[in-house]
């Protein structure tokens, strides 16, 4: 979830520091992100499913604060 919320839109970006390959792989398997690159140059971007999930979760968290 932290990985998805750290994404800045749907553009290619570097994962947050400390993000494991396992975390990236699991998110990719679930269809939330796409991965490209190797080792230190690895990047990810949200898929439509991932973007929609993050937006829905942000609205849910905001509603909980009110």
């Amino acid at each position: 979830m932290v990985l998805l919320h750290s994404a800045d839109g749907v553009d290619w970006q570097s994962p947050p520091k400390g993000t494991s390959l396992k975390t990236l792989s699991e998110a990719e398997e679930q269809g939330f992100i796409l991965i490209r690159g190797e080792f230190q140059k690895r990047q990810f971007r949200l898929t439509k499913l991932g973007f929609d999930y993050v937006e829905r979760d942000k609205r849910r968290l905001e509603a909980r604060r009110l």
Side-chain angles (χ1 to χ4, degrees):
M1 187 59 74
V2 173
L3 172 66
L4 299 180
H5 277 271
S6 73
D8 184 21
V10 294
D11 294 329
W12 289 105
Q13 55 209 283
S14 297
K17 217 172 203 45
T19 303
S20 72
L21 179 57
K22 182 178 179 184
T23 299
L24 289 168
S25 296
E26 288 176 356
E28 184 179 41
E29 287 172 9
Q30 293 174 14
F32 292 130
I33 65 169
L34 298 174
I35 300 173
R36 74 174 182 189
E38 296 291 326
F39 307 109
Q40 306 299 351
K41 297 183 190 274
R42 184 163 282 130
Q43 294 183 316
F44 80 102
R45 66 182 265 188
L46 292 175
T47 61
K48 171 93 169 94
L49 176 67
F51 182 78
D52 291 345
Y53 184 85
V54 169
E55 291 301 308
R56 196 170 35 251
D57 197 51
K58 285 180 180 178
R59 286 192 303 270
R60 182 186 60 82
L61 290 172
E62 185 62 34
R64 187 184 282 181
R65 279 182 248 189
L66 299 177

